[in-house]
Amino acid sequence: MSNSIDIQVPDIGDFSDVPVIEIFVKVGDMVKVEDPLVSLESDKATLDVPAPRGGVVKAISVKLGDKVNQGSVIMQFEAEGGAAAVAPPAEAAKPSVTAPPSAVSAPAGLAEVRVPDIGDFKDVPVIEIFVKVGDTVKAEDPLVSLESDKATMDVPAPLSGVVKEIRIKIGDKVSEGSVVLLLATGDAPSAAATAPTAAAAVAPPAQASVAVGASVNEAAFALAYAGPAVRKLARELGVDLGRVSGSGDHGRIVRADVEAFAKGGGAATAPAAAKPASAPAGVGVGGLELLAWPKVDFAKFGPVERKELSRIKKISGANLHRNWVVIPHVTTHDEADITELEQFRVQMNKELEKSGVKLSMLPFMMKAAVSALKKFPEFNASLDGDALVLKNYWHIGFAADTPNGLMVPVIRDVDKKTVPEIAKEMGELAKLAREGKLKPDQMSGGTFTISSLGGIGGIYFTPIINAPEVAIMGVCKSYWKQHSSDGKTYTSRLTLPLSLSWDHRVIDGAAAARFNVHFANVLADLRRVLF
Ligand code: CAO
């Protein structure tokens, strides 16, 4: 005998009107208890709804994009046995990774930060620690990352403070209430409410992040856009998610992508996929079938030290890797005669001495870039499918070398600013970058980037395009070079080496050469910006 039962969305915490982003089963499928049925995605977390019991899928009541709440019927099962129709118990939905506050004891000025309510998860390994003793953290800054087999959760700081002691290490298993670290909250503004009593409730809600596993490129795996069930599947199949192209909305990786990748091909991953050129599906790196990364016990050959990559390095590394692999880069080298410009710069610095603003070559290059971008608008653009989005604003990013890794602050409306204004803003942004205090909006919206190694050295290099931009100008150290216009008489000219990398899907070699020539001409004679 069999019964038809409604399968409902169980308790999903505070979430409401959460869109269905993936449906893992079809009518006729036989599912086992705990098999994932659908994936829901809020702005904070991706949640998989598992089967509360085994059965055969009789009907599916939702479609992709539908918004659901606790209690919404998502499908009907033809259940095995004679059980009455029931909603799943609330616990069945515990992939939910938002959590109500957990108490944190906070003796005056010192708070014990504990793992908050993380649903049914117990003994969850710590996979990453984002802070070290002495670090100053703000409320909501991520402290540690935990990974269960269903989700990865960042435990954020419940309040601002200074990390006094870290009580866990990578690999430790923690549960709700485990003490993660001690936070000195004395001077922190938000500590006032929590520090005075010994039992102030401080609530670090767990936030969904992305999963990390073993024996794959963990940083890329962590950043891959995929839900918990797909991550779990990737782990089971030994697939490195960072190498899988997503065929779902906004490049989301779905089950089929992982399965196709595991079979050694990716082309079949995107059934509906007329994928935009800017987001190739399926056939990307996955099809390369590269050799496994060599695993070497370096300690066999001499003493070694293991140092985790900084969070910024992991994030920028994964982005650089994607950009390098996806964009057909070409780099065109040229040089600019900046003899007169350098004299002008030195003179202007004397005049500006009292203002506190110091001009390097970079603000002038920003102006030259805007001039070239206006003349060649396809360089100030982004690919969107088969179309090019040409931007009528000129926001220029610059690569900044910081102790934690490479960051790219953006100066907006460079066309409307004077060289000293640009220099001043650049100084402020570079300082924030080095202190790790840049806000997301200070790193977004760029239309073109300049990466200057001029203060350090080098002659030429190949900068990696900062997608979704389509070109980047790399600059090295200027040097004195013998120049002749007739092959008989020579003069020394201060020469700036330029390396323009461009996306060959958008830009042709001739355009790139012209861009460089114009850029160099403007630097040689800034009066050209008037034209
Ligand atoms: N040729 C010769 N000298 C140069 C120069 C060039 N092209 N560019 C800068 N300099 C000089 C400056 O004039 C300055 O000289 P003084 O100390 O005598 O005044 C000195 O080098 C240091 O300049 P700076 O680096 O402080 O200033 P900047 O405006 O040129 O650059 C910033 C600012 C933030 C871009 C830079 O500090 C930085 O972080 N650069 C690294 C970028 C990077 O890592 N790129 C690689 C990305 S790809 O991995």
Side-chain angles (χ1 to χ4, degrees):
M1 172 187 160
S2 64
N3 277 329
S4 179
I5 62 167
D6 284 347
I7 305 296
Q8 297 171 3
V9 174
D11 177 6
I12 49 173
D14 288 339
F15 293 120
S16 58
D17 293 333
V18 192
V20 176
I21 56 161
E22 195 164 359
I23 300 173
F24 299 118
V25 294
K26 57 185 186 320
V27 171
D29 278 359
M30 164 82 81
V31 294
K32 297 190 302 298
V33 64
E34 288 293 317
D35 278 355
L37 300 176
V38 300
S39 199
L40 315 177
E41 187 173 67
S42 78
D43 55 345
K44 287 225 181 85
T46 303
L47 325 168
D48 285 347
V49 175
R53 55 175 302 161
V56 175
V57 179
K58 203 176 138 203
I60 296 177
S61 334
V62 287
K63 56 185 187 323
L64 293 184
D66 280 359
K67 294 191 171 157
V68 295
N69 295 295
Q70 178 178 352
S72 303
V73 174
I74 50 172
M75 52 188 73
Q76 279 92 39
F77 276 14
E78 194 72 32
E80 299 149 336
V86 285
E91 300 84 271
K94 286 302 187 186
S96 168
V97 286
T98 49
S102 71
V104 175
S105 63
L110 204 60
E112 273 187 344
V113 178
R114 297 195 185 131
V115 175
D117 177 0
I118 48 173
D120 278 350
F121 298 130
K122 286 200 175 54
D123 295 329
V124 189
V126 176
I127 55 159
E128 196 162 3
I129 301 174
F130 302 121
V131 293
K132 56 185 186 323
V133 171
D135 278 359
T136 299
V137 295
K138 295 187 301 301
E140 295 303 318
D141 280 355
L143 300 175
V144 302
S145 198
L146 316 175
E147 186 188 58
S148 79
D149 57 348
K150 293 220 178 92
T152 298
M153 294 150 276
D154 282 353
V155 176
L159 69 175
S160 308
V162 176
V163 178
K164 279 287 158 203
E165 192 182 323
I166 296 177
R167 292 272 179 91
I168 37 99
K169 56 185 187 320
I170 288 178
D172 280 1
K173 295 196 170 155
V174 294
S175 303
E176 181 182 353
S178 305
V179 177
V180 173
L181 49 79
L182 295 186
L183 206 56
T185 60
D187 298 326
S190 58
T194 55
T197 67
V202 197
Q207 287 173 345
S209 172
V210 284
V212 179
S215 75
V216 292
N217 180 337
E218 296 300 351
F221 196 108
L223 290 161
Y225 181 31
V230 171
R231 289 177 181 286
K232 187 162 177 259
L233 179 70
R235 289 289 184 215
E236 283 163 9
L237 299 178
V239 166
D240 184 351
L241 265 192
R243 297 173 58 212
V244 180
S245 297
S247 63
D249 277 357
H250 308 295
R252 189 167 187 281
I253 301 170
V254 297
R255 280 181 87 85
D257 298 329
V258 174
E259 284 160 359
F261 188 95
K263 283 185 198 142
T269 56
K275 274 283 148 188
S278 51
V283 291
V285 231
L288 288 181
E289 294 180 8
L290 301 173
L291 286 178
W293 194 254
K295 228 175 162 34
V296 180
D297 178 8
F298 301 105
K300 276 200 315 203
F301 306 106
V304 295
E305 189 189 334
R306 189 177 170 83
K307 192 174 160 206
E308 288 300 317
L309 290 178
S310 71
R311 191 166 165 73
I312 289 173
K313 271 231 159 80
K314 286 186 199 170
I315 292 170
S316 63
N319 275 290
L320 288 164
H321 187 190
R322 179 202 55 204
N323 298 351
W324 182 246
V325 168
V326 171
I327 301 173
H329 281 71
V330 184
T331 306
T332 305
H333 304 288
D334 208 331
E335 51 192 27
D337 179 344
I338 57 165
T339 315
E340 268 83 41
L341 180 59
E342 177 61 8
Q343 286 167 3
F344 179 65
R345 186 184 76 86
V346 170
Q347 176 59 34
M348 288 312 293
N349 270 334
K350 280 188 194 140
E351 291 180 22
L352 288 168
E353 207 167 348
K354 288 203 180 97
S355 73
V357 175
K358 192 176 156 200
L359 307 179
S360 70
M361 207 39 93
L362 197 46
F364 295 98
M365 291 185 225
M366 292 214 169
K367 280 294 195 190
V370 170
S371 171
L373 293 169
K374 285 189 170 175
K375 195 170 168 71
F376 304 97
E378 74 270 28
F379 286 76
N380 199 55
S382 286
L383 262 182
D384 183 19
D386 292 332
L388 202 56
V389 178
L390 298 155
K391 297 159 202 168
N392 289 322
Y393 51 89
W394 293 270
H395 301 340
I396 312 293
F398 63 97
D401 181 30
T402 83
N404 289 322
L406 182 66
M407 309 212 67
V408 185
V410 173
I411 300 190
R412 287 173 197 273
D413 300 315
V414 169
D415 55 315
K416 298 186 184 127
K417 291 177 179 161
T418 65
V419 168
E421 281 168 350
I422 296 168
K424 184 164 177 285
E425 193 173 333
M426 216 174 71
E428 289 160 0
L429 288 171
K431 183 167 178 286
L432 289 174
R434 290 189 184 112
E435 291 167 352
K437 290 185 183 159
L438 276 180
K439 299 201 182 86
D441 70 316
Q442 292 170 313
M443 292 183 281
S444 56
T447 59
F448 182 81
T449 298
I450 302 180
S451 176
S452 172
L453 293 169
I456 305 169
I459 302 180
Y460 295 106
F461 71 114
T462 303
I464 298 181
I465 296 165
N466 190 17
E469 296 164 22
V470 295
I472 180 170
M473 178 63 84
V475 181
C476 284
K477 196 175 179 70
S478 54
Y479 65 102
W480 289 97
K481 184 175 178 180
Q482 291 296 301
H483 175 82
S484 173
S485 51
D486 58 7
K488 294 176 193 148
T489 50
Y490 287 83
T491 51
S492 280
R493 307 297 296 175
L494 189 60
T495 304
L496 182 72
L498 308 174
S499 303
L500 178 75
S501 290
W502 39 278
D503 184 338
H504 211 337
R505 297 172 300 177
V506 177
I507 293 158
D508 293 329
R514 288 189 190 106
F515 185 99
N516 267 350
V517 167
H518 182 77
F519 187 89
N521 283 343
V522 170
L523 289 178
D525 185 350
L526 267 182
R527 289 173 300 186
R528 287 177 190 271
V529 294
L530 301 171
F531 292 88

